Amino acid sequence: GLFSNIFVAMAGRPISTMGSSMTLALFLLLLLFLALAMFAEARSFRSRIIYGALAILFAFVIFLTETRAALLGLATGLFFFLGWYPTQHKKYVLVLKGLLLAVFLAGAGMFLAANTLSSPPPMLKRLQFETLLRDTRFAAWEVTIKALQERPLLGYGPENFSVGFDKHYDPALPGMDRIRVGTLESWWD
């Protein structure tokens, strides 16, 4: 089509001109908290509507990207934002604490639904225990722990992690055969 040289399709997940869905989600995560802070400090009704709509749009796109790192960052950021937002009004403190509880319950519910439903939605499948344990990250962490145990104090030096990783690499680890090199979606996503 018209934008085929600009946008590269990625299996149903939204992307941007900046890169993969993970780049988009992390960029919007920063803007989301800025929009929430501006919403909380806005004085006019029109400004509150604009900043609130932007925050909802950013959160919606973050959920569409299905990026676990951004969802974890969103949950952690909301925990701190809602739990420690500086305000003098008792009413706002109660509302913020209630929102904090709602965010926690929603996250726990999504994780529970992903692991108990027989056929969860595609976004929740990425939160299943089986999917997480087959992930290449866990295999890489196992190799990393062995490398860190060998040199716990100073490690292998700056930019030399690959030396320890290559020394303790085991191709029999699960998921190491599924690393897609050269695609926009990296194994860190």
Side-chain angles (χ1 to χ4, degrees):
L2 181 63
F3 297 107
S4 62
N5 293 333
I6 298 172
F7 296 109
V8 180
M10 291 181 60
R13 294 170 66 188
I15 60 167
S16 69
T17 56
M18 297 181 299
S20 67
S21 57
M22 184 175 192
T23 307
L24 174 64
L26 295 177
F27 180 73
L28 289 178
L29 188 61
L30 294 172
L31 294 178
L32 172 67
F33 289 107
L34 181 63
L36 285 175
M38 297 298 285
F39 172 79
E41 296 297 321
R43 299 285 178 233
S44 72
F45 181 73
R46 182 177 177 217
S47 296
R48 290 182 84 95
I49 293 293
I50 291 171
Y51 291 128
L54 285 173
I56 290 170
L57 175 68
F58 295 156
F60 179 69
V61 174
I62 288 170
F63 278 104
L64 285 181
T65 62
E66 299 177 14
T67 304
R68 290 176 290 205
L71 292 175
L72 184 60
L74 178 63
T76 305
L78 283 174
F79 175 76
F80 284 104
F81 186 84
L82 296 175
W84 287 278
Y85 186 78
T87 183
Q88 302 297 325
H89 304 289
K90 299 278 186 192
K91 182 176 104 176
Y92 287 139
V93 170
L94 289 175
V95 169
L96 291 175
K97 301 292 181 187
L99 284 173
L100 179 62
L101 179 64
V103 166
F104 175 76
L105 291 176
M110 285 183 7
F111 190 74
L112 184 66
N115 289 293
T116 56
L117 293 176
S118 60
S119 60
M123 180 182 168
L124 294 182
K125 284 184 182 178
R126 292 174 53 90
L127 297 175
Q128 289 180 322
F129 283 124
E130 294 88 21
T131 305
L132 293 173
L133 292 177
R134 283 192 325 256
D135 197 39
T136 55
R137 275 173 272 219
F138 284 106
W141 289 345
E142 185 177 331
V143 174
T144 301
I145 289 170
K146 289 178 185 175
L148 289 175
Q149 286 173 343
E150 183 178 333
R151 294 188 179 186
L153 188 58
L154 298 175
Y156 289 90
E159 302 294 329
N160 288 327
F161 174 72
S162 62
V163 173
F165 189 87
D166 292 343
K167 183 177 182 180
H168 296 282
Y169 174 74
D170 181 12
L173 289 171
M176 286 298 192
D177 58 337
R178 291 184 285 118
I179 296 175
R180 297 176 304 272
V181 179
T183 63
L184 288 176
E185 202 173 354
S186 70
W187 67 299
W188 301 104
D189 183 21

